[in-house]
Amino acid sequence: MSREIPEYDLDIFTPEAVRHAREVDDALREFAPAVRLHDGTVMIARHEHVTKGLLDWKTFSSTSRPWHDPTSPRPEILLTDDPPRHTKVRKVIADALSPRALERVKGIFEDRAKELLATLRKREGEPVDAVSEVTQAYVFQVLPDILGLPEEGREHMHGFSEMVWVTMGPPGELFDQAMQYDYSAVIEWLETKCERSALDPEGIGETIYAASDTGQVTPEEAKLLLQTVLSAGADTTFITMANALRAWAMFPGEYARLRSEPRKVRAAFDESLRWDSPSRMAGRITTTDVEIDDIVLPAGTRCGLMFAAANRDPRYWDAPDDYQLDRDTKHSLGWGYGVHGCVGRVLAQGEAQALLGEIVRQVEAIELAGPYDPWMTTVGHGPIHQPVRLKFA
């Protein structure tokens, strides 16, 4: 016999809840297999159920997400599509960001990483921000470089990040605070500098536009896809790399092992993605009645699949709060799953391989040098500031 979806009294999107998102999300996961929030959205947070939801796109559709605003200024493509449209446009990105395509920009990744480490070496012993002065600084330079965007206006990358992520969550205090910011300059930059005529013809952005020449997508869709890569390839990547630095400081034994086995940099990046996932959740709508253990979600239920909490579910993971270099992350949900799995995975891993690999080669030890300052968005999660000290070899 099924039971009613239990009501959950805590608002998980307040500033206080966002500051303590790990504890808040883990408590929700342990409360029940599915819970109903005050706005009617149903949250699902256990690894088994989130995995099934991500794999079954026909039952958990992306076309009508909770909190989705169709008038949002963020690029609207891929995330709010299901097959067959999703399949068509996803192939354009998959081809543009294929291992073969990214091999030709590998040198850019590596050169920028070496340049950054040379600058950081001069500040050895001083506190540096693992986000703004290391991982974000790197991604906000190298990503526009390989896409072929002009130098002018790149200072808007941070505003673009905020604009995208704040509009993915529900209305509330954080949403209202962010929307007081004037994003008009950011939008103008996106509109003008992502035009095909503004791009370096040797960049990956031109490859995306070239798909419109063959009719795979329209020129308007190509522009949206370029903007989507510019967003999706930035925020979750620099947050995950910053989490890696934080984990290496908190688990120095694991970092020492990594330095002795540097070929495991990719595994180390993937474990940081599981350990503290940069996406708290993704929204879906059920197209049929769905059983979650002894709870039935009726068709038409708007729900949230909670990646980060599922990636710490002790039902599935051994010692989930520990960062373990040798952990099998094959079923980590940090990359998503199924048709909506991260199409930019190879890009993110290329960025991480270059920057984190250079850090592992040059930095003997990492120490926390100040408190963790969380990224105050409702569905994004991770540090926006984390002071560290780097001890170079």
Side-chain angles (χ1 to χ4, degrees):
M1 178 179 294
S2 63
R3 59 172 167 139
E4 293 291 321
I5 302 171
E7 303 288 333
Y8 201 64
D9 293 335
L10 178 67
D11 185 346
I12 67 172
F13 299 115
T14 65
E16 187 65 15
V18 168
R19 285 189 190 94
H20 303 283
R22 283 181 73 105
E23 296 84 356
V24 167
D25 294 355
D26 289 354
L28 183 150
R29 181 193 63 226
E30 298 309 309
F31 185 78
V35 305
R36 189 185 301 279
L37 303 183
H38 64 88
D39 68 353
T41 307
V42 174
M43 307 306 292
I44 302 166
R46 297 181 183 176
H47 187 276
E48 174 190 357
H49 307 131
V50 175
T51 301
K52 289 178 179 178
L54 290 172
L55 287 173
D56 188 358
W57 64 266
K58 292 182 179 179
T59 300
F60 288 87
S61 171
S62 292
T63 57
S64 182
R65 294 169 165 233
W67 321 302
H68 173 239
D69 178 4
T71 66
S72 164
R74 71 175 182 267
E76 285 287 322
I77 199 167
L78 270 182
L79 287 178
T80 52
D81 289 333
D82 281 333
R85 173 175 158 81
H86 178 274
T87 305
K88 182 183 73 169
V89 297
R90 181 186 172 92
K91 186 177 187 306
V92 174
I93 297 296
D95 290 345
L97 300 180
S98 68
R100 176 179 294 182
L102 290 175
E103 183 65 28
R104 67 184 178 89
V105 297
K106 182 180 178 181
I108 297 175
F109 289 152
E110 295 172 346
D111 289 346
R112 296 292 181 267
K114 288 182 173 68
E115 291 167 7
L116 178 58
L117 266 291
T119 300
L120 293 172
R121 183 179 283 272
K122 297 174 184 176
R123 298 181 58 190
E124 182 174 10
E126 298 178 19
V128 296
D129 185 3
V131 184
S132 65
E133 296 180 291
V134 185
T135 65
Q136 187 186 72
Y138 175 77
V139 171
F140 279 6
Q141 179 184 49
V142 77
L143 183 60
D145 279 352
I146 67 158
L147 291 176
L149 267 68
E151 291 280 347
E152 181 187 356
R154 291 188 185 184
E155 68 274 8
H156 293 303
M157 285 287 289
H158 183 72
F160 182 37
S161 297
E162 294 297 309
M163 183 183 81
V164 167
W165 284 89
V166 75
T167 56
M168 293 176 72
E173 185 176 344
L174 289 175
F175 181 91
D176 293 342
Q177 287 174 4
M179 294 311 290
Q180 292 175 12
Y181 181 81
D182 182 3
Y183 291 105
S184 58
V186 179
I187 294 171
E188 181 181 2
W189 171 70
L190 285 171
E191 287 301 308
T192 57
K193 303 308 178 185
C194 290
E195 287 286 353
R196 190 174 191 176
S197 58
L199 302 178
D200 182 340
E202 298 300 315
I204 287 174
E206 169 59 27
T207 304
I208 295 172
Y209 268 106
S212 67
D213 298 336
T214 59
Q216 289 177 269
V217 291
T218 67
E220 293 76 16
E221 288 173 329
K223 185 175 183 179
L224 287 173
L225 287 171
L226 172 59
Q227 293 170 344
T228 298
V229 173
L230 187 62
S231 169
D235 311 307
T236 53
T237 305
F238 76 69
I239 289 287
T240 303
M241 289 198 290
N243 273 331
L245 298 185
R246 192 162 62 94
W248 295 347
M250 294 172 64
F251 298 87
E254 294 299 284
Y255 184 59
R257 290 185 56 234
L258 176 60
R259 292 204 75 226
S260 69
E261 301 179 80
R263 69 183 185 280
K264 292 186 175 180
V265 165
R266 180 168 295 183
F269 178 68
D270 287 351
E271 169 64 349
S272 69
L273 185 63
R274 182 215 61 84
W275 179 68
D276 205 6
S277 300
S279 295
R280 283 179 83 189
M281 64 199 69
R284 298 288 191 269
I285 185 170
T286 58
T287 57
T288 63
D289 292 356
V290 180
E291 290 186 7
I292 305 292
D293 285 356
D294 59 347
I295 298 171
V296 175
L297 277 57
T301 299
R302 286 182 168 81
C303 56
L305 302 177
M306 302 186 71
F307 299 148
N311 272 341
R312 294 188 298 271
D313 186 353
R315 296 163 188 79
Y316 188 84
W317 305 99
D318 175 53
D321 290 328
D322 290 350
Y323 177 93
Q324 298 178 2
L325 181 60
D326 290 331
R327 190 188 297 274
D328 182 357
T329 59
K330 181 169 54 180
H331 297 295
S332 167
L333 304 179
W335 296 111
Y337 242 44
V339 301
H340 286 285
C342 179
V343 70
R345 181 171 183 165
V346 176
L347 170 61
Q349 288 175 327
E351 292 172 300
Q353 185 71 42
L355 179 59
L356 297 183
E358 199 61 38
I359 289 171
V360 168
R361 278 189 288 275
Q362 296 196 36
V363 177
E364 182 178 334
I366 303 169
E367 298 176 354
L368 299 183
Y372 169 104
D373 190 3
W375 188 24
M376 296 301 289
T377 68
T378 51
V379 299
H381 172 66
I384 199 61
H385 297 293
Q386 175 61 76
V388 297
R389 285 187 179 88
L390 306 178
K391 180 182 178 181
F392 281 79

